[in-house]
Amino acid sequence: MALLDKFNALRQASAAVISDIGLLPFGVGFDAILSPTEAVWRGRRVVMLGSNNYLGMTHDPDCVDTARRALDDWGRGSTGARPASGTFSLHRALEQDIAAFFGVDHAMLFTTGYQANLGIIGTLCGHGDVVVLDRDSHASIYDGARLSGATVRRFQHNDIGSLRQILESLGPDRASNCLVAVESLYSMLGDLAPLTEIAAICREHGSLLLVDEAHSLGVFGPSGAGLVKAEGLMDSVDFLVGTFSKSLGTIGGFCATRHDIEALRVAARPYLFSASAPPSVIEGARTALARMEAMDAERARLLANADRLRHGLAALGLRVTAGTGPIVAVMLDNLVETTCFWRDLLEEGVYANCMVPPATPGGVFLIRCSVSASHDDSQLAEVLAAFGRALERRRSVSDAAATVAR
Ligand code: PMP
């Protein structure tokens, strides 16, 4: 049973968290989703502050309508991978929409954003190549690099000097045949990549650049096209990867590029060997992409909501990471403090994400909040009041501990 025994340490760690705080942060299940910003947990309403529903698009009536119609017209699933029976006119239409949206010639859909990184990075690169990653990259970027069999080099997070050093150390031949992969808005700390500088260094060394816009699509830039477009870098970015599971409110991934990647349709294993997304998802995503372009008011509201939360939490005396987008992370000191605070917050009616090492960069402990344009003023006030009460609980516990120690 050695295969199972190696999970004993994880089992014990989970059991210890449950015995300390009464529930497991990664095991929360909701009884119902009431709206983009409210859910039911253990029979009570909670404000959702932990989803990536940046534009509230999960419940957009137009998207729901088109998804429902596709369900009626096409059935529930494709039951096949794209190269076999899983390509419908809808999949091709969405690929054309994405290519047109980004002004490039090629777009390739994947069933999830995770698979998009796996399929693009893992297939473009191979043994003998080099993938250079920002150290804080998402697991899907790491896993794509691993799948490729290429040599993986990591540069310090958002550190241009560190990137430059690695590319220079590779020498001109290898540097000009390597893939640099970064995110534009990092999902843990909510900070932005210095894309303009990164693109300039890649150009200087002839390296290809992949940018994962998972969290910035729909949030930044003209028509919500993301940071690459906002910074005028479409010509400098070779592969733009994105997901439908955040601002677009459904599931799916894509790569948009000016390079001819059509051959990857018969080479990328995550594309070749996994069923394509169901028609309802594809049609919902198409409508969401079109809706997203016209959502400037929601984007302004989203960023204003994030600012309000950021300032409100700082005013309560919490340490909030610097950031400009919808991810607002509060830093705490250790595992016990973070899990207790997270539980208190949930009991006070707010679900945020509890993020602890090894999932976090630099071993930080975070309560990670994701704001939505759909949060209204009263919900934000409710959230800040709940944080205030959770802080009070923490203070009374430490006061009691200090009294006992005396
Ligand atoms: N890239 C990044 C940067 C992400 O944060 C995520 C999801 N958390 C993904 C890719 C994967 O997206 P999906 O949920 O569509 O698999």
Side-chain angles (χ1 to χ4, degrees), residues 112-114 117 138 140 183 187 212 214-215 243 245-246 252:
T112 65
Y114 178 85
N117 275 327
H138 188 256
S140 56
E183 292 173 41
S187 58
D212 182 337
H215 292 272
T243 174
S245 70
K246 306 190 192 301

Side-chain angles (χ1 to χ4, degrees), residues 215-285:
H215 292 272
S216 52
L217 180 67
V219 172
F220 295 116
S223 311
L227 266 190
V228 170
K229 272 262 190 181
E231 298 196 9
L233 294 172
M234 264 327 272
D235 290 344
S236 311
V237 169
D238 295 281
F239 305 99
L240 192 153
V241 171
T243 174
F244 305 144
S245 70
K246 306 190 192 301
S247 284
L248 296 186
T250 182
I251 189 165
F254 66 88
C255 173
T257 171
R258 65 198 139 87
H259 298 291
D260 182 353
I261 52 166
E262 295 308 313
L264 269 70
R265 293 186 194 274
V266 287
R269 298 173 70 84
Y271 180 91
L272 273 171
F273 297 114
S274 192
S276 63
S280 54
V281 164
I282 297 293
E283 281 298 85

Side-chain angles (χ1 to χ4, degrees), residues 82-250:
R82 289 289 303 276
S85 56
T87 295
F88 302 170
S89 56
L90 307 176
H91 297 93
R92 292 224 169 95
L94 179 53
E95 285 176 337
Q96 279 161 11
D97 290 351
I98 289 170
F101 182 71
F102 288 106
V104 294
D105 289 336
H106 302 275
M108 195 167 159
L109 287 184
F110 291 84
T111 308
T112 65
Y114 178 85
Q115 282 171 284
N117 275 327
L118 224 57
I120 296 296
I121 302 172
T123 314
L124 282 174
C125 306
H127 290 282
D129 298 326
V130 182
V131 183
V132 181
L133 310 178
D134 183 290
R135 202 182 183 86
D136 287 5
S137 290
H138 188 256
S140 56
I141 296 179
Y142 271 97
D143 291 354
R146 257 186 227 137
L147 179 72
S148 75
T151 301
V152 180
R153 301 285 304 271
R154 300 183 302 170
F155 64 95
Q156 297 302 321
H157 177 53
N158 278 349
D159 184 333
I160 298 302
S162 170
L163 171 60
R164 183 185 295 283
Q165 208 172 23
I166 290 179
L167 292 179
E168 280 171 5
S169 75
L170 293 176
D173 286 350
R174 293 190 93 199
S176 64
N177 193 38
C178 87
L179 180 71
V180 174
V182 298
E183 292 173 41
S184 47
L185 169 59
Y186 282 87
S187 58
M188 287 291 162
L189 303 177
D191 52 340
L192 302 181
L195 283 185
T196 303
E197 288 96 325
I198 291 172
I201 294 184
C202 288
R203 250 194 328 269
E204 215 178 285
H205 289 83
S207 314
L208 295 178
L209 175 59
L210 178 147
V211 179
D212 182 337
E213 292 257 56
H215 292 272
S216 52
L217 180 67
V219 172
F220 295 116
S223 311
L227 266 190
V228 170
K229 272 262 190 181
E231 298 196 9
L233 294 172
M234 264 327 272
D235 290 344
S236 311
V237 169
D238 295 281
F239 305 99
L240 192 153
V241 171
T243 174
F244 305 144
S245 70
K246 306 190 192 301
S247 284
L248 296 186
T250 182

Side-chain angles (χ1 to χ4, degrees), residues 7-92:
F7 298 107
N8 285 345
L10 264 182
R11 280 190 203 101
Q12 279 156 14
S14 298
V17 172
I18 291 173
S19 102
D20 282 349
I21 71 161
L23 63 151
L24 195 61
F26 317 112
V28 170
F30 298 101
D31 308 328
I33 297 292
L34 304 176
S35 74
T37 51
E38 291 185 352
V40 178
W41 173 72
R42 294 192 176 171
R44 55 171 300 191
R45 172 193 155 278
V46 294
V47 176
M48 263 293 196
L49 197 66
S51 77
N52 304 298
N53 206 352
Y54 299 132
L55 297 175
M57 205 87 94
T58 48
H59 290 66
D60 179 85
D62 290 350
C63 297
V64 172
D65 266 0
T66 49
R68 190 177 286 134
R69 242 179 288 128
L71 201 53
D72 287 341
D73 294 347
W74 294 80
R76 286 194 305 119
S78 75
T79 71
R82 289 289 303 276
S85 56
T87 295
F88 302 170
S89 56
L90 307 176
H91 297 93
R92 292 224 169 95

